[in-house]
Amino acid sequence: MTTRKRGQYGADSDLVDYILGITFEIWEQGQVELINEYYSDDCQIYALEATTIGAAAVIEGTRATLTAFPDRLLLAENVVWSGDRERGFYSSHRLTSPMTNRGDTLFGPATGKTVRIMNIADCVVEEGVITGEWLVRDNLALIQQLGFDEKASAQTMATQMTETHIDWLGAEATSLLQGAASAAAVGAHCSASQLDFVQRWLTDVWTSSTNDGGDHYAPYATMYRAPTRYVAGREEIVAHYHDWKSAAVRTAAAVDHVIAQPMGHDGTDFAVRWRAAFEPVVGNRPVYILGVSHLRCSNGRIMAEWTVFDELAVSAQGLLTG
């Protein structure tokens, strides 16, 4: 008789210990079956490339990734969180993954190349179980490091999107562009002034034609889009966002969730889940972006920014018809 192994973490665990612990058990220790214990059967997982429901879908995706990258590590950089055991927790877990491509991927045959990617996973945790997740990763950085063609990879991703997912992307983009964004959910320790700061920052960098957002940053600020994609200095960050705005006829953005967590003596770490949409200069279909940003602030200015969204999935939407 085989005894089913149980995970070491549950409803009584410290939240950060829980997030880091289950990640280590599932990925580094290869106990993929524990996903059945840590994810609810009706857990909705949102990603720009696909939306899925339930622990079984998470297991399938995890096994596929480990087949392609069997030595994948998930190195934690930060967990910004809010909540409590009675009301549930919300965590925003940023990590870097070094890994070697030993098996075929969606984009092509195994290359043998070692790559580094950055992910952020936002999770709702209730009674020791993940009941909702928003997963952002930059697949563009992945295929660039693997040496695959960007347009061909975007086309491959587009062909894998289901009609249901395509409809969801279109509905989300249209809703944003029509000004139907819902109010942001605010985590613990986030004041009205902090929420206002985050909302003004997102509006300025993504949509404003009169403010480039530079006043939100320290002159020496850095922005990381991936371990291999980063810019240094306020002017370069502003230019990065300007390139996105200039590729659109019209843009819209909204904050969906924000956590403010004290950092050091007088700083704040923000975790911001947001959405953006734009009508591209070329193409007849609005494009939707699901993103998460971690902002490290001091004296009312951003010192460092980690912003992750799937730029390859954005390109894939531009190749969809209808």
Side-chain angles (χ1 to χ4, degrees), residues 19-20 75-82 90-96 118-123 134 136 197-198 201-202 217 221-225 237 241 257-261 263 268-274 291-297 301-309:
I19 292 295
L20 300 184
L75 308 179
E77 294 185 343
N78 202 6
V79 179
V80 185
W81 64 277
S82 65
Y90 190 102
S91 76
S92 189
H93 175 200
R94 189 179 79 246
L95 54 93
T96 296
M118 183 166 63
N119 297 352
I120 302 179
D122 277 23
C123 294
W134 294 262
V136 293
F197 169 80
V198 168
W201 161 76
L202 187 73
Y217 293 91
T222 54
M223 179 174 68
Y224 302 87
R225 286 291 318 281
I237 295 172
Y241 282 112
H257 191 276
V258 57
I259 306 169
Q261 188 168 286
M263 185 278 301
T268 304
D269 276 347
F270 289 96
V272 186
R273 176 166 55 83
W274 50 269
V292 178
S293 297
H294 283 189
L295 308 175
R296 177 154 289 179
C297 300
R301 296 188 301 182
I302 299 169
M303 305 162 56
E305 172 184 350
W306 296 262
T307 285
V308 185
F309 61 89

Side-chain angles (χ1 to χ4, degrees), residues 101 105-111 113 140 142-153:
N101 182 210
T105 67
L106 173 68
F107 308 110
T111 65
K113 294 182 178 180
L140 178 60
L142 173 63
I143 62 105
Q144 287 175 335
Q145 292 173 81
L146 292 176
F148 294 130
D149 179 74
E150 178 181 344
K151 186 172 182 179
S153 297

Side-chain angles (χ1 to χ4, degrees), residues 47-86:
L48 207 54
E49 62 189 275
T51 50
T52 55
I53 299 176
V58 180
I59 289 174
E60 181 181 359
T62 302
R63 292 196 187 282
T65 300
L66 285 173
T67 297
F69 301 95
D71 63 347
R72 186 186 188 199
L73 299 177
L74 280 74
L75 308 179
E77 294 185 343
N78 202 6
V79 179
V80 185
W81 64 277
S82 65
D84 54 43
R85 288 185 175 86
E86 287 70 35

